[in-house]
Amino acid sequence: MKHTTSVMSMKKSGKNRSHMVIPATLLLLLTPALSLGAPYDSMEAFRASAEYAAFVIDNLWILLAAAMVFIMHLGFATVESGFTQGKNSINVIYKNVFILCTGILTYGIIGFQLMYPGDFNGFLGLGGLGIGFDASDPVGMLTPAYGEQMTIYSDFIFQAMFAATAATIVSGCVTGRVKLSAFMIFGALLLAFCYPVTGSWVWGGGWLDNLGFYDFAGSTLVHGVGGAAGLACVIILGPRMGKFVNGKINTIPGHSVPLATVGVFLLWFGWFGFNGGSVLSANPAEVSYVFVTTAIAAAAGALAAMLTARVVLSKLDASMALNGILAGLVGITAGADVIAPFSAGIVGAIAGVIVVGAILMFDKLKIDDPVGAISVHGVCGIWGTLAVALFSPAATIGVQLLGIAAIFGTTFLFSLGVFGAIKAVMGVRVSEEYETRGLDLSEHGVGAYPNFAMIDSSFKSAKSEAT
Amino acid sequence: MKHTTSVMSMKKSGKNRSHMVIPATLLLLLTPALSLGAPYDSMEAFRASAEYAAFVIDNLWILLAAAMVFIMHLGFATVESGFTQGKNSINVIYKNVFILCTGILTYGIIGFQLMYPGDFNGFLGLGGLGIGFDASDPVGMLTPAYGEQMTIYSDFIFQAMFAATAATIVSGCVTGRVKLSAFMIFGALLLAFCYPVTGSWVWGGGWLDNLGFYDFAGSTLVHGVGGAAGLACVIILGPRMGKFVNGKINTIPGHSVPLATVGVFLLWFGWFGFNGGSVLSANPAEVSYVFVTTAIAAAAGALAAMLTARVVLSKLDASMALNGILAGLVGITAGADVIAPFSAGIVGAIAGVIVVGAILMFDKLKIDDPVGAISVHGVCGIWGTLAVALFSPAATIGVQLLGIAAIFGTTFLFSLGVFGAIKAVMGVRVSEEYETRGLDLSEHGVGAYPNFAMIDSSFKSAKSEAT
Amino acid sequence: MKHTTSVMSMKKSGKNRSHMVIPATLLLLLTPALSLGAPYDSMEAFRASAEYAAFVIDNLWILLAAAMVFIMHLGFATVESGFTQGKNSINVIYKNVFILCTGILTYGIIGFQLMYPGDFNGFLGLGGLGIGFDASDPVGMLTPAYGEQMTIYSDFIFQAMFAATAATIVSGCVTGRVKLSAFMIFGALLLAFCYPVTGSWVWGGGWLDNLGFYDFAGSTLVHGVGGAAGLACVIILGPRMGKFVNGKINTIPGHSVPLATVGVFLLWFGWFGFNGGSVLSANPAEVSYVFVTTAIAAAAGALAAMLTARVVLSKLDASMALNGILAGLVGITAGADVIAPFSAGIVGAIAGVIVVGAILMFDKLKIDDPVGAISVHGVCGIWGTLAVALFSPAATIGVQLLGIAAIFGTTFLFSLGVFGAIKAVMGVRVSEEYETRGLDLSEHGVGAYPNFAMIDSSFKSAKSEAT
């Protein structure tokens, strides 16, 4: 069984397992009689081996990590909803539910194969996925679907939960004025094509991986992609009404800090699965190390953002503290497995400073990012990717810069092109009347809080604060 | 040790392990010197065996799955609270806390044994459970409590978390006008007797299991039971005031869509444990397969419900999207281990269409189900149970129909009888004054949101929308 | 390797592993060529052994338990926020974010070593921790960092998540009138010194452990410490304005019962990791046993508190039901591994009665504890620690009383001294104007719910109810 060699000698960098799971699986699906991704004569022999227990544990951890990444989508939904106005709450949620569900299905139909293409011989999607195309014998199809560490189903569900993340980040950037249908089309296209293609360059064993670009769990590949796409969309879309008036920058506060807090904590919780699961096994040293760097970076990010906001804005700013947590998490994501815990604290703290600066900078640049997602995911994603080279020997600055430029550039141009085309064809922005009234009533016909007396926030907020 | 044979040769269908864990345990409890549910001479020998690691992993997964099913109860509390009026929020929560806690204790005292009765020789409850009746030597009692895949304690806690689900579903159906004490009595009786008895017919190795009825994780046994009981209670209880007025159907919107969203996402998260844990081991192929079918069905359910609501109601309806997720989840629950991933998408999508239609249908029938629970859990539970026969070879339509009829029929009649009797004795409905004022103030003496200015929703909502 | 003996023959009591993980690790860090905390010649030999799979599983469970304890911090944030007034919501969240993040970092810098001091030869903190001080070779540093059951990183992250808990409990007690900076200083000092020192007396193998004091997962060491510190702070701080007026006790209701509910359920969920992880392995019998006792105590606590509130207060009181859950959880924490399931129900039920009585008692004593944290964590922590002696043979009443006195006394005096000193230097209480206006606007410059019309709760609540 010639693929055995590649399984054993595979290079381990980030989520790159194109030489591990997929080829074996595909082979096995085509020749179900041979079976097994390891040198065992039968499932019985594999089950009786010492390796089997390790396989079961690794697989269980990937599944649990997938469930934890899933809960990040609730985190995104609540943090984006909490940080936007109450008149747009339902709209945010509707968008995020759509993106999550579309992301899972799209990834099954096309994205999974696009991202890990190495050994698929068939056409795109239909045929080569191993997902969902042998209804006549699902169990028979499963039996041989073993890589060394997880089944193809575990692999798929973990990756699919990741995939939806990028587009969900965009959802936060465009909130409050995007036309829902335009966003839905854009998000689906981003998920189906852009994210898996740039992902394949690194995790699929592509050219950036060959050059030595290092992005453990996706500071650039996931968060950076979301930030770059969000930036392109916001530039095309323009700011919300009342955000920038006569040279003044108005703060439009989110409608529920507790709701946003729920979101940030759930994101942190899920990030233990996002980063920890990216080890792609339950290896005790590696997973526990990643948990520690992840937690330390988040904690340092929050404290640094609190301090920065105190100094720069003279405020004890809870929103900045929450964004500081996320900044630290995004910052450590690229190097969570190679940056030392103490250094992880430095990386996180710098991310916490950066995020406050970036939010202020985008305001100055009149780029309206209601929830700060471009700063958190885009700018801190860049920082985190560079930090790998600064705080570990896993990569050099040159190749990290190249990778950032390639992936941000591609995503940004793709997004400009696609969102621009959508604008030309059908428009991307709701009417002023819709925006003033709020997207919940305008697009969905109901308010999010029908039993509560609401303040007309669109009017009120526009004059609440000036810089 | 004669029970060894049955352990090894047990038939695996759904949660049926009556011939596996319980008899061994009971025997072992009675003869603590013999011990062990597998052919090992001592715990030391078992610990040194290759099977031991698998046992530890399987057991850990069941415990984690139990914790995930536990979190579904927070999901139910928040989705039911979010989808009802703000004046009834505390009441919903109080009911759900009561049911969860009563469910756990009742299941320990009587339900567990009723549901898996095969080899208990003692009287009901006290004595045969293995739960809680040997305070003098808890550790000694534990040692032999091993099945092949989990301890009796893991088995119990996983099942107990399931048990409370059925009654919690009823809580959503009757919300807004039920007398709290009446519901509490009904819920406790449903949990103590009805749910475990119908459950024993399938998972306890009873007659429906022998006939070949297939319900992997409980589309009928859990969700269907909740829906059938809810329907009976709603028929006896009647609609909320203002719901159906002069032939018009009024929409009474829930008070917090974000709160309901938190609930639905937590339910989806927990469902990975609900379905994945029902594999009753950490078998990589089976658990990962179940994760994939569960996620695909949920995603397809949401998108189908979104589209259906857009076409039928001309609305981008977030509540329907959320109910579509739940519909897909309920729909796949009966066959999550045997329906192919692609087919799971079809099953979920059909469930998403069905749930919108069912909600509209019950409105036309003047059956007032405030949170749509009869549609989600009852109707989609039926659909999911039939889907096993349509999309897999695991069962035939005939026996699935028979099982649905038997379990829905029994639960419906039990509920009609018991809730009817409670009505006759003490009444089941609060006064008009209480209902108008809201159950939070009337029954609990406080409002859920005392710092917020509320709109008189009972008045307002009654004219908000007409069909 | 002389430490092998101590590894194998270690006494297992609560979290006492000072003779297990730390010394091995330190030795190994100093002599990276020797390595391994078990008698294996190389990592390869360890990996090939039957013990390796058990190690991987145990380690994974501890990491998952750490993530679950992490989510308790979201539970604390939401329950404390929900149970306080809407004008102080951001302040509560800011405090909790600060404490969690400071707790993780402080524990890494100093707390971990203070708490498990036995075999550290170096100075405090820097040098001996094994956390974060070998950036040049993180992977090499990891390899030998194995105890029998987990890596030092897993050990650290699990313990660090615990550490922040105590100070977060205090946050609830002082809410609504504490000066933020004063609390931040106090909380950091409590975490850095007091908690790890008293912790070392038991879990670090100190004098109380040697005397036979038993506190499995921290009824006294974690919850009691939080309650004792909170009591000292509240005495120094005094009650909120309007709480006690002219001899009357006014109820100041929390602003969101659903938010508090989210918190309590998340705490219960996390408690499965808090107690279950304290087994310090995935031992099936022990972990499943702990899950069952934990769930039964929580359920019994809720039902007993509901009943007690109904009888004593003539109310169906949802807040008391929620506090009853927490009371049951705190009550079983000290003996979750040694108290039988049936007895766990009794322990939980008594805790549920106690918590209602304690809340009323502190009101009578004019000790203003807005969220009931002193009653839940302090009083029920004492009860739970005593219950170990009453319901199991693991300890005697004498030594339990001694331990309670020592740890409560030390913490109370430390807190009186430190918080008193802070009061003398900079003051601990905000101005009356700040308090009336609410800390969100006064300290943070924004409201938590800017789109909602709020009632002036400070005025309104002060006359809402009198005893």
Side-chain angles (χ1 to χ4, degrees), chain B residues 94, chain C residues 304-317 356 360:
Chain B
Y94 194 94
Chain C
M306 283 171 159
L307 188 64
T308 307
R310 181 71 189 78
V311 171
V312 177
L313 303 173
S314 305
K315 281 174 59 177
L316 297 167
D317 192 317
V356 176
L360 298 175

Side-chain angles (χ1 to χ4, degrees), chain B residues 46 50 60 84 97 145 149 300 307 323 335 341 374 401 411 437 457:
Chain B
F46 184 30
L60 179 61
T84 58
V97 167
Q149 287 145 330
L307 188 65
N323 272 326
I374 302 172
L401 281 170
T411 307
R437 199 178 169 214
S457 56

